[in-house]
Amino acid sequence: MTSTSVEEPAGYYGAPVLKAPVWTWEVPLYFFVGGTAGMSAVIALSSLALHASVQIARTALWIAALGAALSPVLLAKDLGRPARFYNMLRVFKRRSPMSVGAWLLVLFGAFTLPALALLESLSWLARAGIGTSHATGLLVVLLAGAAISGCLLATYTGVLLGATVIPAWFLHRRFLPMHFGVASLGSAASLLLLAGHDARPLRALLLATASTELLLGVLLETGRHGKADRALRRGLAGWALRAAALATGPAALACALQHWFVPAAVAFLGGALLARYGWIWAGRASARDPEAVFAAEEL
Amino acid sequence: MPGLGTSFGRGGATTAQQDLQNADCILIQGSSMAEAHPVGFRWVVKAKERGATVIHVDPRFSRTSALADIWVPIRAGADIVFVGALIRHVIENELFFRDYVVNFTNAPVILREDFRDTEELDGLFSGWDAEARRYDPSSWQYEGDDPSRPTKDPSLSHPRSVFQVLRRHFARYTPELVERAAGISPDLFQRVADALTAASGPDKTAAICYAVGWTQHSKGVQIIRAAAILQLLLGNIGRPGGGILALRGHASIQGSTDIPTLYDILPGYLQMPRAGTDEERLAGYLEKHRKPAGLWTSLPSYVVSLLKAYYGKAATPENDFGFGLLPRVARDHSHFSYFNEMMDGRVEGLFVIGQNPAVGGQHSRFERKALARLRWLVVRDLVEIETANFWYDSPEVRRGELATSDIETEVFLMPAASHVEKEGAFTNTQRMLQWREKAIHPPEDARSEAWFMHQLARRLKQKAEASGDTRDAALRALDWWYPEDEQGEPDMHAVLEEINGYRVAPLEGGAHHGERVAGFDQLSADGSTACGCWIYSGVYGPDGKNRALAREPAGPYGHGWGYAWPSDRRILYNRASARPDGAPWSERKKLVWWDEAAQRWTGHDVPDFQAQKPPSFVPRPGATGLDALRGDGPFVLHEDGLGWLFVPRGLKDGPLPVHYEPLESIIENPVYAQDKNPAVNWYARPENPFAATADPRFPHVLTTYRLTEHHTAGGMSRFLSRLAELQPELFVELSPELAAEQAIVNGDWVTLVTLRGAVEARALVTRRLRPLVIQGRTVHQLAIPFHWGSAGPVRGDVANDLIPFSGEPNVNIHESKALTCGLVKGRRPPDADFVAWFEALTRAGHGDR
Amino acid sequence: MAIGDGTRSPNQARHDFVAKQVRVGFFTDPSLCIGCKACEVACKEWNGVPEDGCRFTGNSYDNTGQLGASTWRHVKFLENDEPLGWSFFSDVCKHCEVAGCLEACPTGAILRNEVGAVYVQDDVCNGCGYCVVSCPFGVIDRRPEPQPGAGGAYKCTLCYDRQIAGLTPACAKACPTESIAFGPLDELREKAKARAKELQARGLTSVRVYDPQHGSVRGTHAIFLTLGDPRRLGLPRRPQAPTSYLASAWAAALFTAALAVAGTFAAFAMALP
């Protein structure tokens, strides 16, 4: 094999330079579930603190709490040694996005679940004659904690992927947190709309996130890095990412503009979930692409 | 082995692997040393780092070639053409080391008038008996009556001097012949010649390394002879960084010819007596083999001491020390001979110990079928190798050629201990004995070879005592005294003691024998000493130190680590590292020299010479033994003390190397009318056909080789995942040109075909194999490793299915390194259809032998 | 060199680097490598690394494929057509100065030991797989079923257990030509520089020391010589530890989070009557 030959495979017999991610279906699902739950807590806080719509806040908090409970299960299942999931809390490493995320999840759960319990028992307390102002105050504090940890929970997963050696990922390390965050917010709003809360703020959020997704999609499509991130445009990953972008962007937006909020919400949710899978699949393909690795380091 | 033995005196490497670092040039041919001797190859790498030129001559560009300075692609089987041309180059251009050649070799010796060379008889020497297929070597002898004092012409100009005979013999081995017959360009030949000759002389030396790529030919011994001639002419034998390193196998192959498992020699390279000759009596035997001068003068003491070791008290002067109890060689009893007998139903039982002939034997299809004719078979190994399970799972069973229900062989598979589970010594390629201590007990029923032989001997002895049959006299006479431990393992130190030798008379009442001897010069022929192997004597001296176990090296040659026979000399014939007057040839290449003040030889190695014999010594008339050798004759096993460029006796196929074509070849001999080695044993039988020259069905040259990752027939490597995963499948290396001709892509399945068998393998297309132009035609060469078989976790076809068996005239070794084959794209048919397909493919051959 | 000197070579002699906390490493010099794979086998034997596939690849003599959870030394075979040559390169974990795997590990299983090697504590690792996507050389991986110890991440330990006992790593001990040299890292770096110069003087002008000190990896404890473009060996020219991407990624994350909160508040505030 000469090094000047054009048709020779890149690198060492075309072998991957990197290792592909070993994560299975639970991880992208967690991105979706955790992210939606996190932003749902933001909605719950806003709704309670400003709108005084307890119904929205209640549903949103349920979503957040269910997500908070489901997420660790999903993550533990994906571990190579699930029985040792608690080792995630042995240390805190700020330079490890996964360590930060593990602790964020713990915090989120620590705020969300008591918040839900408190909210559910508010009516009981009221009937029992206990002053609700203190309870509501505490609820707002808990929700604030949930919202702060929640909004970071929704965006940190972008950092998790972006701060790796996979070209398709690290070349989009600013894009991914934004995309995942926006998709999470829109997913939370969509879920609430589908749950029957046809409220103006939620519609506004769906409209805003769909518009932002459209903008982000255009930026991604135009900001290509050639060979270095071609995994985003090839194969299964390429189809998934494009379909997802269409769903969360133009499709959801068009429906929302027509006031067809149910289809808009469904499209957005479907796209947001598919996008997570698409990015993981793209990561696998990118890791196995030696030409991409070499192209990326020339950028 | 006889190549080196006849040229220099002893059948073993003349140097040590470590000494290669002192070479100025190293020629590796008939070996891929980096692959087969990777640890020893470190010394070649060190030599290279010190500025030596490393040359690798091989049909394939191997891992050795990768680290060589010059790779010479050669047609397999053309080695004598190449080395012969180097000899011619050295002679014609006067590049030989004159002082060395005149004084230390038989170059000046005058030969008999009736000697005729191959130049005169078109490929034969005088004395050939075509009917008996045998040479009478009388015409090859020196002129005169006393071979220890031959007539010499120091000017090297006498027409019947060995030198002039040598010159005429190789006159036609020109660079042009090398190009035509070996496929090597004159430029490349010149590069090699220049590198070698530049590294020759008083202050430079070159070494040659070879292995089975030279021995496994129908003229293997003569190829080595050619190297010996070259090294003698260049003055490299007995000098640091020089010599010939015969690269022998790791698991004590050297040891298994020193204390032989060969049928025709006794320990220490004594000959086995031959039936129907005067050798049947001790006196006749000694008369035949004893030499008046040199170390062989003491033959009687070696032989009698061996007999005393065997038979103890039963060996007395009255009964010729039991000489009559030794078996006699009646004819060829070698491997192929008895496998032939086996196939014909004339062998009842076989022990196969640490060997796997079902995979490693040539013409393995034949061998597997022959095993089925035995009544009983004992296999000792670490795993269930193909030789043990041929009866239910061989290719022959799968192909319907053998049916398990018809096979009556009773197979006993006995588990063997591994090398860390037993105690004893290995003798490595540089004649060094290294003792191994036992690290752990073998598991369950696994036992060492020593245990097996010891227990078998005890039982056979018991039966012999009971039988009273005359035929069992030898067994009854055996002195089997070795103490054993609670597991029944014999005390290997006791065995080593006996190998070393001791005085027979016991020191005190209860002991078996007296004190150990310090060396073979203390052995006597009167029955007062016993010695299991005279060349090892000294390993376990009277000071009680087992020198094979010593691990404290000191000095440049590592004395104090292990024990190199003979007498711990690391470089043989090292007297030749000094001038005839005893001073070193140069400061740079000092090894052993005469210390005038101390009146003894001294230096960096144990002198391979009588320590106190001055360089000026001239023997008195009538002197015998070492006293009959001059002070400037380094080759002390030869009665003339000289290195033999021309070998007057000892070889069955000629006193000088001759290029003969391999038994299957793509061309006829370009040099002589005599195409093949006339004395080779063809083992002619219908199942062993050879393709005629240039048979169009088999147009390619095939050679076999081994991979570092596997060990011989695979019993110790294919069954071990760590090694098996490194090379999991059988492959064949071929050039891109050949691949293109047949539209073969790297990784495709291909099938190799010969008249003996067909094997499928993965194609490894590489530029490391290249077509050669031979006699104006493009010839392709293929190379295939031979490690795979039908058993174990990684399986493959058996490459040895392709190769016929044949016997080189001197040692009966097969020719596996050069044959012809056909190449077919695609897999062979499945086993059910194989036989019919193969027979159709190979039927109607024109002029098959 | 006298016979027996080899027993005193740094590859063979006993040492006390762990007690003295000396930074050690490997210097692998392919110009001395004969492609024998003793390093692969010695490593597997000592560390009990399981078999990871009996596959014929057709890639010269390399049927091992790549480093991974069950291959910690991997000899690469490169055949060159013009001029004809065959080079062998024993690859290993680089034990980076700034190690992506170590930084990424959320359980603290991966640490740097006394001799500066990057070491995975198998009894802590829960197999999250984040180290796998953090190694710029594609070394560490999670061992799949059904191999023994499946679920955890594995890589070269620089034979930590042997070093604690004063022994040298198995691969260095077994290497017949000392192509793999073990010893204090500073000495190896000097040795590599000198060797590169020597080989360049002999005509191998494209020889370089592979020890990426200028990127975020900041140098490795396993250094090599490469002949020609390292990419032919599947080695990146400018490997980066992904911690260098953290700042920009977190900035985007924090910005988005803040914007999301603000935006949600705005959406609910504007709907207030």
Side-chain angles (χ1 to χ4, degrees):
Chain A
M1 263 142 285
T2 63
S3 49
T4 54
S5 172
V6 172
E7 59 294 319
E8 292 303 334
Y12 181 70
Y13 300 105
V17 175
L18 306 171
K19 291 283 184 276
V22 296
W23 299 320
T24 47
W25 61 269
E26 295 92 341
V27 169
L29 183 60
Y30 154 73
F31 288 177
F32 175 75
V33 166
T36 307
M39 286 304 187
S40 197
V42 174
I43 292 176
L45 175 68
S46 306
S47 177
L48 197 68
L50 297 175
H51 190 90
S53 166
V54 182
Q55 290 79 11
I56 291 178
R58 186 165 174 264
T59 314
L61 190 48
W62 266 102
I63 293 170
L66 282 171
L70 183 58
S71 292
V73 173
L74 287 173
L75 286 181
K77 258 194 108 258
D78 174 76
L79 289 176
R81 295 170 174 160
R84 291 195 195 154
F85 65 91
Y86 53 81
N87 276 354
M88 292 300 201
L89 307 179
R90 267 178 99 243
V91 294
F92 171 71
K93 290 172 70 174
R94 61 184 169 84
R95 280 204 302 274
S96 165
M98 191 174 273
S99 179
V100 172
W103 283 102
L104 279 174
L105 189 58
V106 167
L107 278 175
F108 184 68
F111 284 117
T112 317
L113 295 165
L116 180 66
L118 186 57
L119 181 64
E120 286 302 316
S121 43
L122 269 181
S123 48
W124 181 86
L125 286 169
R127 274 184 263 122
I130 294 171
T132 55
S133 57
H134 293 301
T136 317
L138 179 59
L139 184 58
V140 170
V141 168
L142 288 173
L143 280 177
I148 292 170
S149 54
C151 69
L152 289 173
L153 198 66
T155 54
Y156 98 91
T157 48
V159 180
L160 185 78
L161 296 188
T164 62
V165 297
I166 313 291
W169 289 353
F170 77 76
L171 288 171
H172 297 99
R173 59 190 179 277
R174 294 177 191 80
F175 174 90
L176 280 166
M178 294 196 278
H179 169 49
F180 285 179
V182 170
S184 297
L185 182 58
S187 298
S190 297
L191 261 184
L192 287 163
L193 281 165
L194 289 176
H197 300 285
D198 193 9
R200 278 185 57 197
L202 295 174
R203 290 181 178 191
L205 280 175
L206 183 50
L207 214 71
T209 51
S211 312
T212 315
E213 276 291 290
L214 174 59
L215 182 62
L216 286 174
V218 169
L219 284 173
L220 184 67
E221 202 56 50
T222 54
R224 296 183 185 192
H225 294 95
K227 275 190 193 164
D229 63 356
R230 62 186 176 185
L232 299 176
R233 296 177 290 280
R234 287 178 165 195
L236 180 65
W239 284 114
L241 286 172
R242 280 180 174 144
L246 285 171
T248 59
L253 183 60
C255 291
L257 287 170
Q258 298 284 4
H259 289 257
W260 299 336
F261 285 102
V262 168
V266 169
F268 197 96
L269 279 166
L273 178 62
L274 185 60
R276 298 332 199 279
Y277 280 91
W279 277 99
I280 295 293
W281 294 335
R284 276 202 212 130
S286 185
R288 290 182 184 139
D289 185 356
E291 279 191 28
V293 175
F294 296 145
E297 60 178 8
E298 298 303 316
L299 292 172
Chain B
M1 199 183 59
L4 298 176
T6 51
S7 305
F8 312 127
R10 298 183 183 97
T14 72
T15 179
Q17 293 174 96
Q18 291 86 346
D19 191 47
L20 289 174
Q21 67 179 318
N22 298 317
D24 298 292
C25 179
I26 300 174
L27 170 66
I28 301 170
Q29 188 172 347
S31 154
S32 181
M33 191 176 175
E35 294 183 292
H37 291 78
V39 180
F41 194 75
R42 67 177 283 149
W43 303 104
V44 176
V45 174
K46 289 217 188 285
K48 197 174 159 203
E49 290 298 305
R50 287 162 82 165
T53 307
V54 176
I55 305 164
H56 186 219
V57 182
D58 199 297
R60 46 186 281 271
F61 184 102
S62 75
R63 283 175 269 200
T64 307
S65 330
L67 271 89
D69 295 296
I70 306 171
W71 170 60
V72 181
I74 188 174
R75 172 173 69 101
D79 300 86
I80 294 181
V81 170
F82 183 73
V83 182
L86 288 170
I87 292 170
R88 179 194 165 277
H89 177 90
V90 164
I91 291 176
E92 291 308 318
N93 294 291
E94 308 221 345
L95 294 166
F96 53 95
F97 187 170
R98 182 169 278 268
D99 281 345
Y100 184 106
V101 169
V102 168
N103 288 290
F104 292 160
T105 76
N106 66 359
V109 170
I110 317 289
L111 297 173
R112 274 167 57 150
E113 260 207 27
D114 55 350
F115 171 72
R116 293 288 173 275
D117 180 68
T118 50
E119 284 301 280
E120 300 162 271
L121 301 180
D122 214 351
L124 290 169
F125 295 101
S126 47
W128 176 246
D129 179 344
E131 228 183 82
R133 296 190 68 243
R134 189 174 46 214
Y135 275 112
D136 169 8
S138 350
S139 61
W140 307 346
Q141 303 311 307
Y142 295 166
E143 185 180 72
D145 301 315
D146 186 358
S148 64
R149 283 160 214 276
T151 336
K152 293 188 191 181
D153 169 23
S155 73
L156 305 182
S157 54
H158 190 293
R160 279 190 285 121
S161 65
V162 163
F163 186 80
Q164 291 299 331
V165 167
L166 193 68
R167 176 188 205 163
R168 286 195 297 277
H169 179 85
F170 284 112
R172 289 190 295 138
Y173 288 66
T174 58
E176 187 269 333
L177 175 71
V178 170
E179 183 169 39
R180 260 194 306 126
I184 300 165
S185 74
D187 282 344
L188 193 49
F189 174 80
Q190 189 65 38
R191 273 183 77 194
V192 174
D194 289 345
L196 273 173
T197 52
S200 151
D203 53 5
K204 293 251 169 92
T205 52
I208 294 182
C209 303
Y210 77 87
V212 294
W214 263 3
T215 62
Q216 290 184 4
H217 286 270
S218 53
K219 64 246 182 199
V221 169
Q222 294 294 349
I223 302 176
I224 293 143
R225 276 277 304 131
I229 291 171
L230 185 60
Q231 287 295 68
L232 283 172
L233 288 175
L234 293 174
N236 283 323
I237 300 298
R239 302 185 57 210
I244 297 185
L245 186 59
L247 291 167
R248 306 196 74 177
H250 313 302
S252 210
I253 286 290
Q254 179 68 45
S256 65
T257 53
D258 294 341
I259 301 186
T261 54
L262 302 175
Y263 76 95
D264 57 347
I265 51 175
L266 291 167
Y269 301 98
L270 308 177
Q271 294 296 314
M272 274 282 230
R274 269 148 175 77
T277 67
D278 291 337
E279 294 180 39
E280 299 231 37
R281 307 283 325 281
L282 180 59
Y285 172 90
L286 294 174
E287 163 87 35
K288 171 96 194 285
H289 294 292
R290 185 176 190 226
K291 297 289 165 251
L295 280 176
W296 286 118
T297 304
S298 303
L299 177 67
S301 55
Y302 313 147
V303 175
V304 171
S305 300
L306 177 66
L307 293 169
K308 287 299 285 184
Y310 284 165
Y311 304 121
K313 292 199 180 58
T316 65
E318 290 72 39
N319 67 9
D320 261 1
F321 297 103
F323 186 78
L325 296 170
L326 289 175
R328 275 91 176 88
V329 173
R331 51 192 168 76
D332 177 5
H333 298 288
S334 67
H335 178 92
F336 298 119
S337 173
Y338 65 75
F339 261 85
N340 268 276
E341 308 266 298
M342 214 187 291
M343 182 63 115
D344 298 333
R346 291 200 291 271
V347 179
E348 279 198 14
L350 182 69
F351 289 88
V352 174
I353 302 181
Q355 201 191 9
N356 191 7
V359 170
Q362 308 309 296
H363 204 340
S364 31
R365 286 180 68 209
F366 181 92
E367 300 221 340
R368 291 190 296 269
K369 289 182 196 158
L371 290 173
R373 308 298 303 274
L374 290 167
R375 285 198 35 210
W376 54 267
L377 170 67
V378 176
V379 178
R380 273 187 46 92
D381 214 299
L382 303 171
V383 293
E384 188 177 302
I385 52 174
E386 288 81 357
T387 303
N389 72 7
F390 73 91
W391 56 276
Y392 71 89
D393 191 28
S394 55
E396 285 65 42
V397 167
R398 295 185 200 157
R399 291 169 186 173
E401 295 186 274
L402 289 176
T404 303
S405 49
D406 294 340
I407 296 174
E408 291 178 1
T409 316
E410 192 174 358
V411 179
F412 301 85
L413 176 60
M414 312 205 58
S418 80
H419 67 100
V420 296
E421 295 163 349
K422 57 194 180 190
E423 187 172 35
F426 280 10
T427 306
N428 74 4
T429 194
Q430 57 209 56
R431 296 166 281 102
M432 180 183 287
L433 283 79
Q434 293 177 101
W435 193 260
R436 263 92 152 129
E437 294 176 294
K438 185 171 170 176
I440 50 172
H441 287 305
E444 295 176 59
D445 292 332
R447 295 286 184 273
S448 66
E449 280 68 49
W451 178 93
F452 184 83
M453 286 305 172
H454 173 70
Q455 294 296 331
L456 185 64
R458 282 186 47 211
R459 286 161 174 74
L460 291 175
K461 265 189 79 68
Q462 272 176 342
K463 283 180 168 282
E465 310 285 342
S467 85
D469 201 333
T470 351
R471 229 178 74 158
D472 301 329
L475 277 172
R476 279 195 293 277
L478 273 185
D479 180 17
W480 208 263
W481 61 277
Y482 315 108
E484 59 178 63
D485 67 11
E486 60 291 337
Q487 277 223 319
E489 289 274 353
D491 179 358
M492 296 306 284
H493 293 273
V495 175
L496 186 69
E497 251 197 311
E498 186 162 86
I499 288 171
N500 177 81
Y502 45 70
R503 298 196 195 288
V504 165
L507 282 170
E508 71 270 339
H512 173 265
H513 54 262
E515 67 164 11
R516 302 183 205 105
V517 299
F520 55 78
D521 50 338
Q522 292 184 359
L523 298 176
S524 55
D526 61 5
S528 61
T529 58
C531 176
C533 182
W534 70 279
I535 56 176
Y536 281 10
S537 189
V539 64
Y540 203 4
D543 61 358
K545 277 183 63 180
N546 175 353
R547 292 160 79 179
L549 185 54
R551 292 291 185 270
E552 269 155 58
Y557 284 92
H559 290 93
W561 182 295
Y563 180 83
W565 73 264
S567 310
D568 214 11
R569 287 141 183 162
R570 305 290 161 120
I571 311 287
L572 295 179
Y573 324 114
N574 52 33
R575 161 70 182 89
S577 66
R579 300 193 320 218
D581 68 3
W585 287 109
S586 68
E587 194 57 34
R588 185 168 181 264
K589 296 284 175 176
K590 278 169 77 154
L591 180 57
V592 152
W593 58 89
W594 175 251
D595 183 339
E596 187 63 38
Q599 284 289 298
R600 59 186 306 115
W601 290 91
T602 185
H604 301 309
D605 192 9
V606 175
D608 188 7
F609 210 61
Q610 278 179 299
Q612 289 163 316
K613 178 189 284 183
S616 54
F617 179 82
V618 173
R620 287 176 294 108
T624 61
L626 289 177
D627 294 334
L629 296 182
R630 294 168 55 97
D632 58 1
F635 297 89
V636 298
L637 276 96
H638 287 162
E639 60 269 27
D640 54 11
L642 302 171
W644 287 355
L645 293 163
F646 180 101
V647 167
R649 58 147 210 283
L651 294 179
K652 295 205 178 92
D653 48 357
L656 290 172
V658 180
H659 171 68
Y660 294 120
E661 282 295 316
L663 300 182
E664 273 192 347
S665 178
I666 38 118
I667 57 166
E668 288 188 357
N669 195 319
V671 191
Y672 313 102
Q674 178 60 36
D675 190 19
K676 322 277 192 205
N677 189 336
V680 77
N681 189 341
W682 292 83
Y683 290 106
R685 62 184 294 153
E687 301 94 329
N688 191 34
F690 289 76
T693 302
D695 184 327
R697 294 172 298 172
F698 313 113
H700 312 304
V701 175
L702 178 67
T703 190
T704 59
Y705 66 96
R706 72 161 288 234
L707 294 163
T708 317
E709 296 87 332
H710 278 294
H711 190 255
T712 60
M716 287 176 72
S717 58
R718 266 186 294 118
F719 291 76
L720 191 64
S721 70
R722 307 237 185 281
L723 296 174
E725 59 178 333
L726 300 177
Q727 294 284 12
E729 285 191 43
L730 176 62
F731 60 89
V732 56
E733 296 184 310
L734 58 148
S735 66
E737 290 87 347
L738 177 55
E741 272 180 30
Q742 297 191 230
I744 292 167
V745 161
N746 189 42
D748 277 352
W749 281 101
V750 293
T751 301
L752 297 181
V753 185
T754 67
L755 285 176
R756 277 78 46 193
V759 308
E760 61 182 13
R762 305 294 290 272
L764 195 66
V765 179
T766 168
R767 290 235 63 216
R768 299 179 293 100
L769 269 285
R770 49 190 45 181
L772 300 173
V773 178
I774 306 291
Q775 301 275 59
R777 268 191 320 116
T778 301
V779 171
H780 293 293
Q781 299 203 100
L782 296 101
I784 188 166
F786 65 94
H787 308 291
W788 278 267
S790 53
V794 292
R795 303 173 179 206
D797 277 359
V798 182
N800 278 323
D801 281 3
L802 299 169
I803 305 176
F805 49 80
S806 58
E808 183 275 347
N810 299 288
V811 292
N812 266 306
I813 200 162
H814 50 275
E815 182 161 73
S816 69
K817 297 298 175 179
L819 57 148
T820 59
C821 73
L823 178 69
V824 177
K825 181 171 164 156
R827 300 187 76 152
R828 57 161 174 82
D831 286 322
D833 310 320
F834 178 86
V835 177
W837 167 82
F838 181 71
E839 277 172 11
L841 198 65
T842 53
R843 197 178 301 140
H846 309 283
D848 295 346
R849 290 173 201 245
Chain C
M1 180 181 160
I3 289 160
D5 283 355
T7 57
R8 291 179 277 281
S9 128
N11 272 14
Q12 307 293 332
R14 297 231 166 195
H15 62 81
D16 54 2
F17 296 141
V18 173
K20 295 227 170 94
Q21 306 201 9
V22 176
R23 280 191 338 155
V24 300
F26 287 129
F27 165 45
T28 307
D29 177 3
S31 72
L32 298 176
C33 180
I34 57 176
C36 71
K37 306 180 193 171
C39 51
E40 288 196 35
V41 178
C43 169
K44 285 215 177 195
E45 280 282 284
W46 177 263
N47 293 294
V49 179
E51 174 213 314
D52 61 346
C54 280
R55 278 161 276 121
F56 176 77
T57 63
N59 294 337
S60 194
Y61 280 10
D62 179 1
N63 295 300
T64 300
Q66 47 195 302
L67 289 173
S70 298
T71 294
W72 301 353
R73 264 280 175 192
H74 166 220
V75 182
K76 296 181 170 170
F77 287 75
L78 275 183
E79 299 188 22
N80 204 65
D81 289 348
E82 219 44 66
L84 183 63
W86 204 6
S87 60
F88 320 111
F89 181 98
S90 178
D91 199 9
V92 73
C93 168
K94 314 301 178 288
H95 293 277
C96 307
E97 191 62 44
V98 174
C101 61
L102 191 156
E103 297 299 332
C105 177
T107 62
I110 303 182
L111 48 76
R112 194 175 300 275
N113 63 17
E114 301 95 317
V115 290
V118 177
Y119 180 76
V120 183
Q121 298 172 91
D122 189 45
D123 54 349
V124 174
C125 173
N126 62 12
C128 77
Y130 199 41
C131 55
V132 175
V133 291
S134 302
C135 173
F137 302 102
V139 171
I140 193 167
D141 203 358
R142 192 168 77 180
R143 200 175 272 177
E145 296 282 355
Q147 292 178 17
Y154 290 90
K155 68 173 195 69
C156 164
T157 61
L158 243 175
C159 278
Y160 188 31
D161 54 348
R162 287 179 62 90
Q163 290 204 52
I164 289 171
L167 301 172
T168 56
C171 56
K173 184 156 178 60
C175 179
T177 55
E178 299 204 354
S179 162
I180 298 173
F182 167 76
L185 184 59
D186 298 329
E187 288 174 20
L188 293 178
R189 284 196 162 132
E190 287 308 310
K191 186 173 169 163
K193 264 194 272 180
R195 180 66 177 171
K197 274 214 188 81
E198 192 189 327
L199 291 175
Q200 282 158 10
R202 282 196 214 169
L204 297 169
T205 50
S206 65
V207 168
R208 298 287 179 275
V209 178
Y210 189 80
D211 177 15
Q213 295 194 23
H214 297 297
S216 51
V217 164
R218 290 218 245 119
T220 55
H221 292 231
I223 61 181
F224 304 81
L225 288 184
T226 52
L227 181 67
D229 191 337
R231 291 176 297 184
R232 285 185 73 208
L233 290 162
L235 293 174
R237 294 205 305 169
R238 298 185 197 95
Q240 303 297 342
T243 44
S244 59
Y245 304 143
L246 282 174
S248 46
W250 273 120
L254 288 165
F255 171 75
T256 308
L259 196 64
V261 172
T264 309
F265 265 75
F268 278 87
M270 286 190 307
L272 279 174

